Amino acid sequence: MGFYLTIFLLEVALLDPTYVLVIVFLGRVWDGITDPVVGFLCSRTKTKLGQFRPWLLFSALPTAIAYFFLWFVPHWSKNELTFVYFLLIYFIMQTLLTCVHVPYTALTVHLSYNQKETDSVTMYRVIFEMCGTLVGIGIYTLFYSTFVNSNEDDCTDNNRVHDKEKEDAYRYHAVTIGIITIIVLMITFLTVREQKEETMKKYNISFFTAIRETFGFKPYRELLLMELFSWLAVQFVQGNFAFYTKYSLSLSDQYQYVVATLLICSVCWMPVWQIVLTKFGKKTTFLCGMWILMPCMICLLFLNYEPLLIYPLNIAGGAGVSVAYLVPWSMLPDVIDEAYLQKGVRREELFFAFFVFFIKFSAGVTLGISTGIYKLGGYDQLKCDQPWSVPLMFKILVSGPPVIFIIISLFFLWRYPITEKTRAETKKKLKARRRRTESEESPTSNTPSYHDSDDGTLKGELQCSKM
């Protein structure tokens, strides 16, 4: 959605950049409310179907329907009515995405409480998320080539008009993605099983107390800020990449292939980074990935002289992007374990809820800032021919701010207190706590006890410590 939404609203729905800015900004404000609320509600959910799986079941169909209407252009006479329509649909879509994404990501640490297995699950989840994005791009490319006969914009006297062919391509792509969404969520609901003992135990604290305790934990706060700024860098490129490809590189007919190449390279780098992560540690892996990504973003300033160099550049860029996707998520379970060791309570739902929110918030910030700059750079969504300042503006947007954000994220990486040594110590202490808890249990207890085996595999469910 991030690769296409801005260019869809501006050049297909023909919304004014100011309206797009308001839609994105208010949508992220709404996100700031729904993400922690859904995370808190997930922590209170207790059903026979599990804690998280019911959210996937009941959100599947509404999410698919809302996704279709997000890509539907109502041909109303007043632009203000179209603005209100997309604002409401965007609110609904973000709410439903929260109801899917928060429980879906929180399931990661409930499939296994062993660190190696959790890291492996995280890697596979991120890989399949990228593959899902590739599938979405492939579906859009298929319908675009089917319905759109020319890559040129529909213009009358240099004024852009509604392009029915592009609208049909977006609509049919939305229907297909909606059907796939329902199928995938149903498969997840039917095949995934949660670790029941941990998920069924509840802690009755107030909503604001839970938020205060979550943000009051320093390792989580530093990781959250590191993730926020690294994602701001990635999202600045992603949100403006379609415009950069079209106006700065003059490769609008190859945009889908450029993005697909980047994502394929990112997926291919994932197993490599997983090996590096295991051997050298997570902080070192993140640092290496960001040092690879920064020169790639700087190179985007000069590709207009040889646009096709974007393809080999994607090989190195994919390495950096894959680190931004993989490593922060793999560090989050470490923070959860550290908080559990210190507090005696696991609150994965809120940790994941704010993590999801900051990722979506970064997308909103980048789209909001970018669309606010578009008019300053001379961009007019109703004109087919743009002034010379527009290509320069998009080159700066995909290079300058991302590099600055990466440098800031590295500062918070330096402040992040959990190292490989402290992570190993935490694991030993948690293992000792579980064994001590098991030894205190009655032999006639009906509650099964489990522990880590010597080879590091989890043989059962993690027991909470009584504190």
Side-chain angles (χ1 to χ4, degrees), residues 244 248-249 295-305 313 392-400:
Y244 171 76
S248 300
L249 302 184
C296 294
M297 291 176 169
I298 294 173
C299 288
L300 295 176
L301 276 171
F302 309 102
L303 284 186
N304 57 302
Y305 299 107
L313 185 65
L392 176 62
M393 175 185 66
F394 288 121
K395 286 198 296 183
I396 294 174
L397 284 175
V398 298
S399 57

Side-chain angles (χ1 to χ4, degrees), residues 183-219:
I183 294 173
V184 169
L185 289 178
M186 288 300 99
I187 292 175
T188 305
F189 170 78
L190 294 172
T191 58
V192 170
R193 293 293 178 267
E194 303 173 28
Q195 299 287 344
K196 294 182 181 179
E197 185 65 24
E198 278 289 309
T199 60
M200 297 301 282
K201 190 169 183 178
K202 303 297 172 187
Y203 302 89
N204 295 319
I205 61 173
S206 70
F207 175 69
F208 292 104
T209 300
I211 292 179
R212 186 171 61 252
E213 290 187 4
T214 300
F215 279 99
F217 190 57
K218 180 181 177 181

